[in-house]
Amino acid sequence: MSNLPTGATFNSIQSVSINSSAQSNLVGHFGAAGVGGGGYEAFVSSSGNVSVLPSVPVATFFHCSTNSARDSIAVGGDGARIGYRIDSMGVLSPISMPGGGGTLLASALNDSGLAVIGGPGYAAVVQPNSLTPGPSLSVANINSVAVNASGNSLLGGVNYAQFFDSQGNSIASVSLSGGPTLSSVAINDSNLSLIGGSTAGPVPYAGLVNLSGMPTLLSGLPSNGMIASVDINQFGYGIIGGQDGDTTSAYASFVDPAGVIYPISGLPIGTGASINSVAINDWGVALLGGTLDGSTAYAALVSPWGGITPLSLNAPQVIYSVSIRNFVPSNDLSGNNLAFAEYIKDYARNKIVYFIPSLLAGTLNEALESAAPTRNAASLFTADNNLFYLNHSLSTHLRNHWHFRNRKRALSQAAPAASSEIEPLLTESDVVAGCLPKRRSLQGCQPMVSCEEDRPYSFWLELIQARAFQDAQLQTPGFQASVGGGVLGFDGQIGEEVQAGLGMAYTFTHIHEKEGSGFSDLHQEYAFLYATWSDQQMYVDLACWGGAMQIHQVRNIYMTGWNFVSTSSVGGWQLAPHFEAGADYVPNKECIGPVKASAHWSANPFVMLDWISAWQERYQEKGSGPFNAAQKAHYSSFLRTEIGLRFYEPITFQAWRLVFEEKASFVNKTPFGVGKISAYLVGSPGSFTVETLTKPQNLGAVEFGIIMEPLDHKYPYGSLSYQGEFTTSSQLHQATLEVSLDF
């Protein structure tokens, strides 16, 4: 930082404070004492820019505090107590102090603007927006003060600790044993407090205490040394720091809400090594400040599980004061986990407590992934894929029926000549195997009036079974979806080249999330219209699907120390146009002689497009846990493109025909907002956005089918097919059974 005081012996920063927006206050002294120097105050922005405030002549500020509104208080003195309120614009307003000499060493300020100040022989409450302290609370020598959101305060000093309410009324005196001098006190919004100092010897002294006034002394402390500083977060996890005289080293330990200490290793060792100031945020991240050897500054960040990161400093000999805000311990966080953690920090701080055991166990990423509703996106992703299955089934019917009608038409339009020389060419198997429809006008196949009974209408039924396997991605678990359903359709011929129809469909899906993360059940109902045009060489299919979906979701939330379940039910709508175009290529273009069974093959290059639009309704999860989420109403779309080649090989027998079908194709699936979730936690403001399943997929697809056709077309025909789509992160398998009857 620039603009800091330099040059004279008494230049120093005595105290620092930071708020939730990373805006800081610095106070101290500049210049030699009594020789043109004075109290130094400055604001520091979140980017590190220092704004020096007007100085106070011939004084030293020893302590400062700032709140979330960036209002501050600074106290100190040089022979007389001084105190100033500093507003967010940097304007200093002096607090009226009672007469008499002295110095103020400690201050505390809550977000409502209530302040507590203290020093040797004096302490007082200063009400919000007031510049006049209340009556003195104590004549003890006060070294440290703390105040919480409700205005309850704790004062600590020489063999003294006492709780007061916001009006300065005594709540309870803390029962101290051994006559300790308390160097530092801290209190959280639940009135759980941490005190620290030393008894004669010196012997380190520290304990947890609530408004009952009966402390729980910490065991396991060094037998020689002192506790110089303490802090406690909103969830009862604390930090203490000072000196370990047993090992001649700096000392610091975490303290859990039960009063169990967890010493921090890796601290400076040697004469003069000391931790002078500590701070801990609600995520359990601690900041330590002090000296390596009495002449070299030392500071370090400590992770909730004890990992220590010394900071590179260009600083004076000693760090007197440190402060830390509620930043997310994000070194190992990214993507959705970081976005969710930032939301927790900014809007749902009361949820942080549930992550503390995970922080201590080093499983924060896993806890955030489990608590976030990101994986609910799998339901809509699967619902869209189900509609792709249905469109594929419709395509299967139209292609099977197109080939069926073409082969029937080839038979009915082949002309038997009167001459017995041509008669052998007109057996059914010969015509089907060797003759094309009359529109190709191939030599040897003569048109005639149809001898086949006209059957312009078709009634068809398809049963679908599908399985999808999706690997984990973007900090969401993998899942598998099992789909079962059916399609019922009716169509009719409009002239010789157009076929149009309508139908309905239903699917049920069960999604099983891996790692026991939960499950979803989906019900989807559809109606659809379709039409196809063909001239026996080319075809164009058009369809439009519309339907409703109902989703029931269950999220199992597993975190170190906690298990919760959140459930939700959500509805929505889908609309999906379908397009396919292709051609039919038959290499055998001449009629052949009579045989009992004959075969030829044909090829069908094609392109297919499906575009699904989905409207998902707003929903709110229910459950006894703290991570029930609500998602806003959501629109998304999903584009599927397929280009490929089908092959057909019919084998004709005396009374029926067997057709084998194979397909190879390339499939691209591009989602637009399908996996994007804008949500908030129930009972908390703000919102967060997480994303998964958002990347386009390129898949290779294969299909194998068998079509069974009777030569007497008054009987139904059927088909059984399998399609698989494959990429490195997912697989989709679909089996379709169709029965169709022309009449």
Side-chain angles (χ1 to χ4, degrees), residues 46 52 112 121 127 130 137 143 165 237 265 297 364 412 438 451 482 561 594 598 617 622 627 643 671 728 730 733:
S46 58
V52 180
S112 68
Q127 296 297 323
S130 173
L137 304 179
N143 295 324
D165 66 17
Y237 290 86
S265 59
L364 179 59
S412 64
K438 66 179 181 180
C451 59
S482 301
S598 59
E617 298 172 350
K622 298 179 180 179
F627 296 106
I643 183 169
T728 55
S730 65
H733 307 271

Side-chain angles (χ1 to χ4, degrees), residues 87-368:
D87 68 17
S88 59
M89 303 302 295
V91 177
L92 279 71
S93 300
I95 297 173
S96 301
M97 294 295 173
T103 299
L104 294 178
L105 301 176
S107 68
L109 180 69
N110 67 14
D111 282 349
S112 68
L114 185 141
V116 180
I117 56 179
Y122 177 80
V125 172
V126 185
Q127 296 297 323
N129 303 314
S130 173
L131 297 174
T132 302
S136 178
L137 304 179
S138 173
V139 294
N141 289 331
I142 302 301
N143 295 324
S144 181
V145 300
V147 66
N148 64 17
S150 64
N152 291 335
S153 60
L154 175 61
L155 281 60
V158 178
N159 196 24
Y160 176 86
Q162 191 156 349
F163 290 101
F164 293 89
D165 66 17
S166 61
Q167 301 303 311
N169 301 310
S170 176
I171 297 175
S173 294
V174 179
S175 178
L176 302 175
S177 59
T181 294
L182 299 184
S183 304
S184 182
V185 299
I187 186 172
N188 68 14
D189 290 346
S190 300
N191 296 310
L192 183 62
S193 304
L194 188 56
I195 58 178
S198 63
T199 58
V203 176
Y205 181 95
L208 287 171
V209 60
N210 56 30
L211 296 183
S212 69
M214 297 300 297
T216 300
L217 298 182
L218 307 184
S219 60
L221 300 176
S223 60
N224 186 24
M226 66 170 297
I227 301 300
S229 180
V230 303
D231 195 18
I232 192 168
N233 67 22
Q234 296 302 330
F235 307 110
Y237 290 86
I239 182 81
I240 59 176
Q243 289 180 315
D244 183 349
D246 295 335
T247 59
T248 315
S249 65
Y251 175 80
S253 285
F254 284 116
V255 182
D256 73 12
V260 179
I261 67 169
Y262 300 88
I264 298 168
S265 59
L267 298 177
I269 299 175
T271 302
S274 175
I275 300 299
N276 298 329
S277 182
V278 299
I280 188 170
N281 68 15
D282 288 344
W283 285 95
V285 179
L287 180 61
L288 312 178
T291 177
L292 286 169
D293 51 17
S295 62
T296 306
Y298 174 82
L301 278 172
V302 187
S303 69
W305 49 91
I308 191 165
T309 304
L311 304 182
S312 177
L313 301 175
N314 180 17
Q317 297 177 355
V318 177
I319 300 295
Y320 295 110
S321 177
V322 298
S323 183
I324 191 169
R325 71 183 182 98
N326 274 318
F327 73 93
V328 178
S330 58
N331 286 346
D332 297 324
L333 300 183
S334 62
N336 293 328
N337 285 351
L338 181 58
F340 188 51
E342 291 286 359
Y343 171 81
I344 295 291
K345 171 184 72 73
D346 294 336
Y347 298 104
R349 289 179 58 192
N350 60 322
K351 317 291 187 186
I352 294 177
V353 64
Y354 299 101
F355 294 96
I356 298 299
S358 297
L359 281 164
L360 297 174
T363 58
L364 179 59
N365 266 300
E366 291 82 353
L368 289 166

Side-chain angles (χ1 to χ4, degrees), residues 385-404:
N385 269 307
N386 289 350
L387 197 41
F388 291 144
Y389 295 143
L390 294 175
N391 270 318
H392 171 261
S393 296
L394 175 60
S395 176
T396 297
H397 164 71
L398 292 176
R399 298 288 57 74
N400 290 351
H401 200 246
W402 184 57
H403 282 273
F404 180 59

Side-chain angles (χ1 to χ4, degrees), residues 477-500:
F479 64 89
Q480 63 185 46
S482 301
V483 185
V487 184
L488 189 64
F490 169 82
D491 55 53
Q493 289 292 126
I494 303 176
E496 292 192 3
E497 295 183 339
V498 177
Q499 177 186 351

Side-chain angles (χ1 to χ4, degrees), residues 541-589:
D541 297 342
L542 295 174
C544 187
W545 295 73
M549 56 183 174
Q550 305 86 42
I551 304 171
H552 177 68
Q553 302 172 139
V554 176
R555 282 197 304 129
N556 295 325
I557 301 172
Y558 299 120
M559 308 164 64
T560 302
W562 308 94
N563 292 326
F564 306 107
V565 177
S566 292
T567 64
S568 60
S569 295
V570 57
W573 301 87
Q574 292 171 295
L575 182 67
H578 166 81
F579 168 84
E580 181 178 347
D584 192 36
Y585 170 73
V586 181
N588 186 1
K589 297 184 179 181

Side-chain angles (χ1 to χ4, degrees), residues 498-644:
V498 177
Q499 177 186 351
L502 52 83
M504 63 183 68
Y506 168 80
T507 61
F508 171 78
T509 308
H510 177 76
I511 301 173
H512 171 75
E513 297 170 0
K514 295 181 180 178
E515 302 170 7
S517 301
F519 67 90
S520 297
D521 289 330
L522 286 71
H523 297 269
Q524 295 171 265
E525 306 87 24
Y526 296 98
F528 61 97
L529 300 172
Y530 62 95
T532 182
W533 169 89
S534 67
D535 66 354
Q536 286 75 58
Q537 298 182 63
M538 300 183 64
Y539 68 89
V540 175
D541 297 342
L542 295 174
C544 187
W545 295 73
M549 56 183 174
Q550 305 86 42
I551 304 171
H552 177 68
Q553 302 172 139
V554 176
R555 282 197 304 129
N556 295 325
I557 301 172
Y558 299 120
M559 308 164 64
T560 302
W562 308 94
N563 292 326
F564 306 107
V565 177
S566 292
T567 64
S568 60
S569 295
V570 57
W573 301 87
Q574 292 171 295
L575 182 67
H578 166 81
F579 168 84
E580 181 178 347
D584 192 36
Y585 170 73
V586 181
N588 186 1
K589 297 184 179 181
E590 295 182 358
C591 293
I592 61 176
V595 292
K596 292 301 181 182
S598 59
H600 66 77
W601 64 273
S602 63
N604 169 210
F606 70 94
V607 62
M608 185 188 305
L609 296 173
D610 297 302
W611 195 335
I612 299 173
S613 292
W615 293 264
Q616 183 174 299
E617 298 172 350
R618 179 190 180 277
Y619 70 88
Q620 180 172 308
E621 292 180 323
K622 298 179 180 179
S624 59
F627 296 106
N628 297 322
Q631 183 180 350
K632 303 174 183 178
H634 177 61
Y635 168 78
S636 63
S637 62
F638 210 153
L639 176 63
R640 182 184 186 275
T641 306
E642 182 176 4
I643 183 169

